[in-house]
Amino acid sequence: MAGILDVPKPRINCSMLSQHINKPVCFVGRVEKVHPTGKMFTVSDGEGNMATVELNDPLEEELSGVVEVIGMVSNKGGIMATAYNMFREDKGTLFDLKLYNEALKVIHDFPQHYPFEVASSS
C-alpha cells in the first residue's frame, strides 16, 4: 500500500475539509497559533477560516508564516499531519493566500482539467 506522500492529494481550504473526511489532502495556510505542547497548531486559509493541524510528534522548530500541510482529514474536521513545509517569506516575496484560494476554486470548479485522483484499478 502506498503511503500518503505517494498518492495524489487534492489541494483544499477550510470550506472543503468536510468533503474530505478520512482522505489525504494538501492544505496551505498561515500559522496562527501553536499549542504549548508543540503537537498542534491552527492555520488560516485564504478566506480567513481556521483549521486545526495535529502532529504525531512535537515540533522541533519554530513554526510561523505560511505552511503547506500534507495529511488526512480527521472525523473532527482537523488535519492529522504526516508532513509539513514552511514557505520562506524572508526574501521580500509574500505568499498571497487570497490568490491561492481563488486558484483552488478554479481547480475544484473544473476537475476535468485539474484531476488529482488516479482511477482505481478495481
Side-chain angles (χ1 to χ4, degrees):
M1 181 172 156
I4 190 169
L5 298 175
D6 300 324
V7 297
K9 297 161 281 304
R11 291 184 171 273
I12 66 166
N13 63 16
C14 289
S15 67
M16 301 171 191
L17 283 167
S18 63
Q19 300 161 17
H20 294 87
I21 301 291
N22 295 322
K23 295 180 183 173
V25 296
C26 178
F27 185 97
V28 175
R30 184 167 304 280
V31 176
E32 297 294 335
K33 185 177 181 182
V34 177
H35 191 273
T37 63
K39 291 187 75 171
M40 183 183 313
F41 59 94
T42 57
V43 288
S44 61
D45 66 11
E47 296 179 330
N49 298 317
M50 302 287 203
T52 301
V53 177
E54 295 182 49
L55 304 166
N56 287 325
D57 299 311
L59 292 166
E60 295 181 5
E61 60 187 331
E62 182 178 331
L63 195 60
S64 64
V66 176
V67 65
E68 176 186 61
V69 177
I70 305 294
M72 297 283 284
V73 179
S74 71
N75 291 334
K76 299 176 187 175
I79 302 169
M80 292 297 302
T82 299
Y84 67 88
N85 297 303
M86 284 192 289
F87 290 0
R88 294 188 59 165
E89 295 183 309
D90 58 355
K91 302 280 189 210
T93 305
L94 299 179
F95 188 89
D96 189 335
L97 271 175
K98 288 185 180 182
L99 183 59
Y100 176 80
N101 194 68
E102 292 302 314
L104 284 181
K105 289 178 185 177
V106 171
I107 289 169
H108 285 271
D109 285 347
F110 299 97
Q112 68 275 23
H113 298 296
Y114 304 99
F116 59 84
E117 292 187 25
V118 176
S120 66
S121 58
S122 50

